[in-house]
């Protein structure tokens, strides 16, 4: 009985008692659902949890708020992030990360949950490696460009926003027999352009992963025009070129009057879809479980419908590739 009690006290002594959660980098719909799930799971497990406002900048500024079961009530349906977000150049330095670790220790924070994209997760990994701070990453980015997860938080909502806007543009394009060049986000990844273009039947999709042949695209659109097509939608990821550049290449060669629409940051906003709310909730819950099981330095990922934990080093050492079958399919169906 004494041995059992001693073992129990030992187990309790190494349990994490206080953690922090933060959102960093570009916001994504569903981040609030992940915050909510992490907070309520932590509270249920008797773990104290604080929120860090404004990402790594807020960490260095010691901008912390106490989180409770009640404080995250009613936030799941809200877009953006209640903890807000920002970029932080100081945290990109070794000295900045060291100071961040010292601040966490000063407040008795034993572990950190970071919700964000590639840059945010890289910062979390370096903080952990350099200063022995336990971290768990949650992928939140509308670009869906994080390796080893089928979907990131915010992608589904973003796509629904883009698709809804393109569908409206198709209506007016048909009425006036015009071509619309629609620029969507995606500096290094063409996932948003490819998926939204497929879902709306766009006549052409331009993504950074494939070299652009303006002559071939123009010829294709002109031939469709001659066959009686009365409208045209070209979806272009911002990493390829601006919509204005694409329009200059196209407008005198495709037989349509051309209009430009740049969707911009509207793609980041809006109430998250059911898919994003559930995905984010699962990831937030799983992040706390990973901390309890001391599975540190991992990212929560969705693979084949299941939550899995992938080492951050593995995630960040690889570049997620666009599915080539989707690219081939887009050429056939457009």
């Amino acid at each position: 009985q004494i041995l059992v009690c001693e073992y129990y006290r030992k187990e309790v002594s190494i349990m994490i008692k206080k953690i922090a959660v933060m959102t960093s980098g570009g916001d994504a719909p569903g981040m609030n659902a992940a915050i909510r799930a992490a907070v309520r799971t932590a509270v249920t497990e008797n773990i104290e949890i604080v929120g860090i406002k404004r990402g790594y900048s807020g960490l260095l500024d010691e901008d912390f708020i106490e989180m409770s079961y009640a404080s995250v009530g009613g936030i799941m349906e809200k877009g953006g992030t209640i903890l807000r977000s920002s970029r932080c150049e100081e945290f990109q330095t070794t000295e900045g990360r060291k100071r961040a670790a010292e601040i966490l220790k000063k407040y008795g924070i034993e572990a950190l949950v970071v919700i964000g994209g590639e840059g945010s997760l890289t910062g979390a990994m370096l903080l952990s490696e350099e200063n022995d701070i336990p971290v768990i990453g949650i992928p939140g980015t509308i670009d869906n460009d994080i390796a080893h997860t089928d979907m990131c938080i915010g992608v589904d909502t973003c796509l629904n926003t883009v698709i809804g806007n393109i569908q409206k543009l198709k209506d007016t394009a048909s009425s006036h027999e015009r071509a619309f060049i629609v620029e969507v986000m995606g500096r290094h990844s063409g996932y948003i352009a490819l998926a939204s273009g497929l879902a709306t039947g766009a006549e052409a999709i331009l993504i950074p992963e494939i070299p652009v042949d303006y002559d071939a695209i123009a010829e294709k659109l002109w031939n469709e025009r001659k066959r009686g097509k009365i409208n045209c939608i070209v979806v272009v990821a911002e990493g390829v070129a601006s919509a204005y550049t694409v329009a200059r290449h196209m407008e005198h060669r495709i037989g349509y009057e051309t209009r430009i629409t740049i969707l911009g940051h509207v793609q980041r906003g809006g109430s998250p879809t059911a898919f994003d709310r559930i995905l984010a909730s699962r990831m937030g819950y799983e992040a706390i479980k990973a901390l309890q099981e001391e599975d540190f330095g991992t990212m929560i990922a969705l693979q084949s419908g299941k939550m899995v934990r992938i080492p951050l080093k593995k995630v960040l050492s690889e570049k997620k590739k666009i599915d080539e079958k989707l690219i081939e399919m887009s050429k056939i169906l457009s």
Side-chain angles (χ1 to χ4, degrees):
Q1 185 178 8
I2 293 173
L3 287 174
V4 170
C5 290
E6 286 297 319
Y7 178 77
Y8 178 76
R9 280 197 290 270
K10 181 181 178 183
E11 286 297 300
V12 169
S13 68
I14 64 172
M15 284 177 60
I16 289 177
K17 293 295 186 181
K18 186 175 183 179
I19 66 174
V21 60
M22 62 182 287
T23 52
S24 177
D27 61 306
M31 282 183 165
N32 283 328
I35 294 168
R36 174 181 178 272
V39 169
R40 291 195 167 180
T41 305
V43 170
T44 301
E45 297 295 335
N46 295 314
I47 300 171
E48 186 180 353
I49 184 166
V50 300
I52 301 175
K53 300 177 75 173
R54 298 181 295 108
Y56 292 117
S57 292
L59 172 52
L60 293 172
D61 291 340
E62 303 180 33
D63 192 0
F64 301 159
I65 57 171
E66 295 295 326
M67 306 291 283
S68 67
Y69 207 93
S71 70
V72 292
I75 70 169
M76 183 163 56
E77 62 268 29
K78 295 180 179 178
T81 162
I82 62 164
L83 292 177
R84 293 180 291 192
S85 186
S86 67
R87 311 286 181 180
C88 181
E89 292 185 9
E90 184 181 354
F91 191 81
Q92 296 176 22
T93 67
T94 303
E95 295 77 13
R97 292 188 292 272
K98 182 179 179 181
R99 190 163 78 84
E102 291 170 351
I103 291 170
L104 290 173
K105 292 172 183 176
K106 170 185 172 182
Y107 284 87
I109 297 170
E110 302 167 83
L112 183 63
V113 176
V114 177
I115 308 167
E118 185 178 10
S120 303
L121 297 179
T122 299
M125 181 186 71
L126 292 174
L127 178 67
S128 177
E129 291 179 346
E130 296 168 357
N131 301 279
D132 197 29
I133 300 292
V135 299
I136 300 294
I138 295 178
T141 170
I142 62 172
D143 288 325
N144 204 33
D145 59 351
I146 304 296
H148 295 287
T149 185
D150 295 340
M151 291 287 276
C152 299
I153 294 171
V155 177
D156 188 67
T157 306
C158 169
L159 288 177
N160 277 278
T161 298
V162 174
I163 289 166
N165 279 282
I166 292 178
Q167 203 62 53
K168 291 179 175 68
L169 291 172
K170 287 187 75 171
D171 293 341
T172 187
S174 297
S175 298
H176 293 275
E177 298 188 33
R178 286 173 175 160
F180 273 82
I181 314 297
V182 184
E183 181 182 316
V184 300
M185 287 182 168
R187 189 168 294 118
H188 304 294
S189 170
Y191 184 84
I192 297 173
L194 180 60
S196 62
L198 270 170
T200 56
E203 281 66 42
I205 304 169
L206 281 59
I207 60 176
E209 290 84 352
I210 300 177
V212 180
D213 186 340
Y214 288 109
D215 291 332
I217 294 171
E219 183 179 2
K220 175 179 180 291
L221 297 181
W222 173 240
N223 287 333
E224 290 184 358
R225 174 67 165 168
K226 288 191 294 183
R227 286 198 297 268
K229 184 81 174 178
I230 64 169
N231 68 65
C232 171
I233 298 290
V234 177
V235 182
V236 53
E238 62 182 336
V240 176
S242 74
Y244 294 97
T245 299
V246 177
R248 283 197 299 271
H249 280 280
M250 298 290 183
E251 57 187 352
H252 299 302
R253 305 161 66 183
I254 60 177
Y256 292 100
E257 186 180 356
T258 304
R259 292 290 184 271
I260 291 168
T261 297
I262 300 174
L263 293 183
H265 284 76
V266 68
Q267 295 163 86
R268 292 193 185 278
S271 180
T273 59
F275 180 91
D276 271 328
R277 296 184 196 192
I278 295 169
L279 174 65
S281 296
R282 293 176 69 189
M283 287 183 167
Y285 168 86
E286 189 67 24
I288 303 304
K289 293 301 179 181
L291 286 177
Q292 286 186 303
E293 295 167 17
E294 299 185 23
D295 202 357
F296 305 144
T298 58
M299 183 192 79
I300 309 303
L302 175 70
Q303 291 186 357
S304 302
K306 297 180 179 179
M307 289 292 110
V308 297
R309 304 167 190 172
I310 310 294
L312 279 168
K313 181 164 277 189
K314 182 178 181 180
V315 170
L316 298 169
S317 66
E318 300 178 28
K319 178 68 176 176
K320 187 171 186 177
K321 296 180 180 179
I322 292 286
D323 188 339
E324 292 184 2
K325 288 187 178 180
L326 288 180
I327 296 173
E328 184 61 31
M329 188 168 66
S330 71
K331 294 176 182 177
I332 294 172
L333 301 183
S334 63

